[in-house]
Amino acid sequence: MKIIPRDVPAQQASALRQAGVHPLLAQLYAARGVCSADELDEAPSRLLAPSGLQGMQEAVRLLADAIERGLRLCIVADYDCDGATACAVGWRGLRMLGAAETSYLVPDRVVDGYGLTPPIARRVKESAADVLITVDNGIASVEGVAQAKALGLQVVVTDHHLPGSQLPQADAIVNPNQPGCGFESKSMAGVGVMFYVLLALRAELRARGRFDKASQPRLEALLPLVALGTVADVVRLDANNRRLVALGLKQIRKGLMQPGMQALFDAAGRKPFEATTFDFGFALGPRINAAGRLSDMTIGIECLTTDDRGRAAQLAQMLDAINRERRELEGGMREQAMLLAEGLCTDGMTPPPAISVFDPDFHEGVVGIVASRLKDRMHRPTFVFAASGAPGHEHELKGSGRSIPGFHLRDALDLVSKRHPGLLLRFGGHAMAAGCTIAQSGFALFKQALAQVAQEWLDDATLTRRLETDGPLDPRFRSAEVVERLNHEVWGQGFAPPTFSEEIEVLSQRLVGERHLKLQLRHHGEMVDGIWFGHTDPLPESACIAYRLDINEWRGERKVQFLIEGVHSEGA
C-alpha cells in the first residue's frame, strides 16, 4: 500500500478558518476541494433547483394531471436500499400530494431480474394502474417501457443510472445522466431524483391552486429516507448530495423520522440522536439490502412505508434476521472466492489485472458484496458470478462487479461486448459497480476478455493500492470532543472520512478474537490504543500508519483510539 497525504490549499484553509470553521475541519474541507464557507451551508434553499433536470416539466405535468383526474399510480422499484427508499419516498410523497390510489411493485432479484421488464409491465397493467413510475431503474428498460406503452399505460422514468445507446420511449424521463441534461449534480441517487420530482410536482400543484405555501405538504419529512438511500447507494457526495444527507441527519437527530427508520435504528443497536453517515452505510442500509438479496424487498419497503410502530418493529426484526443470514452466507462465499482468486495468481503472489470467479454454490443475491470484499483485498477490478435461479435461465450466470479508481467498469463491459458479440446477454451499471448476465459456457471467455481490457487500460501505478490521507494529526485535536465533531459531519463516497497518517511507534501488539490486531501506540509522546480489524500480521516497532479516529467507551471512560487502515510499504 502507498500512503499519500492530500494537498491542503493554504489559502482555502485560511479562508475557512477566518469564516469560523473549526481549524481541523478547515484543513479537511480544503483538502476535499471546499473553497468557501458558503459551500458548507446546509440550508434547504441552497439545494439545486429541480427545474434544472431535463424532462422534469413533462413528468410533473403528467403526474399533476393524473392526480387531478384521480388516476391510479404504480411505482416500479428496485431491490436495493436506494430503490426501496426511492419507492417509499415516491409512495409517501405522492399520497401527501393528493394521489388517490398509489401502489408499488418491486421485481424479484432471482425470478424477474433488474428493472422494468415486459412481464413487470404486464403485471402493472393487471393491477389496474393507469400510470407507471419507475424509481432507480428504467433508463435501460427499452422493451419494458415499450410493452407498458402498448398496454396503454403512461410511463414516467425516474433513474440515475447511465443510459445505453437507446433511450426508452417513455412519456417523460427524469435522469441527470440522460443525454442533454445540464443538471449540475450527476451523482444524485435514485431516491434523490424521486424526491426532486416530488418537489417540482408540489410546485406545479401549487401553481394550479391546490394549496399555497402555508398549507402545502411538508415534503421535508421525507429527507431521512433520502439521506439513507443516498449514502447506502455509495454515490459521490457532491455538494448537493451532502446537503440532502445533512438535512436528513438533522431531522433524525431530532427524532423526526418514519417509524420504520426508528425501528431499524433500534434493531441495529444505534442511537438516532447520534446518527451518522456510518449508520446509513453499515447499519440500516445492509439490513434493507438483505431483504432484496435473500428474500423479498417488499419487507424493506413496507418497513419504510408503514406508520404502525408495532408493525415497523416487527419488520425491522425480520430484516435484522435476514441480514444475519446474509452475513453467514457471505462469509462462506468470501472464503471460497478468495481461494479461487488466489488460484489465479501467476506466481503465487501477483493477481491478474482483473479477477473473475464463479462457483456453482454461490448465491446470486450476495455476489455484489463478495465482489466488493475481493476487490478491496486484491485491488483489482473483480466480478463474482453465480448460477441464475430464474426459471428457464438455469444455464445462465449472473455476475456483479466492483472496480478500482481508474477503471470504468461499465465501459469495460461495453468493450467486451463489442469484441465478443453475444457473450454478454445483458449488462449495465456505473464506473465503479456493474452487472452482467452470460451463458455458463461463456465464463472462461469472459474472464479472459475482461482481463485483456484491464491489461490494456491499467498500469502498475493504478494497480498499486493507494490510500489518500490527511497527513499527521495535531495532538491537540486527539480528543473525544473533536471525534464527535468529525462524526457529526457528512462523509462518504467522493468526500472521504478523515484518515490521518504518520510515523508512529508500536509499543505492544496482540491478537484479539483471532482475527484482529490490538495495539498500543505512542503518538506525540502519549500512549494511544489502536486496533486493526481483520489483520493478524504483526507490525514493526515503528511504521507509517494510516488511521481513523474512534471513541472507545469502557466502564464509563471515553478514550480516543486509532482504527488502523493500512501501513505504508517501502517501494509501493
Side-chain angles (χ1 to χ4, degrees), residues 6-17 21-37 39-40 242 469-470 491 495-496:
R6 295 182 178 88
D7 291 329
V8 181
Q11 190 172 353
Q12 292 172 209
S14 176
L16 292 170
R17 286 194 302 271
V21 178
H22 184 281
L24 180 57
L25 282 173
Q27 170 197 329
L28 299 173
Y29 283 141
R32 286 157 180 76
V34 175
C35 298
S36 71
E39 297 177 49
L40 305 175
R242 292 202 307 276
T469 75
D470 296 291
W491 312 104
F495 206 77

Side-chain angles (χ1 to χ4, degrees), residues 74-91:
C74 182
I75 298 170
V76 175
D78 186 24
Y79 38 67
D80 67 357
C81 187
D82 185 19
T85 52
C87 182
V89 163
W91 185 85

Side-chain angles (χ1 to χ4, degrees), residues 413-424:
L413 290 180
D414 188 52
L415 181 55
V416 168
S417 72
K418 288 181 171 64
R419 288 178 173 177
H420 305 278
L423 174 61
L424 302 185

Side-chain angles (χ1 to χ4, degrees), residues 537-559:
D537 295 334
L539 298 182
E541 293 182 358
S542 180
C544 180
I545 296 176
Y547 59 93
R548 291 185 292 112
L549 300 177
D550 187 37
I551 299 175
N552 186 29
E553 297 191 28
W554 176 250
R555 295 179 178 175
E557 186 180 5
R558 303 169 78 243
K559 295 172 60 177

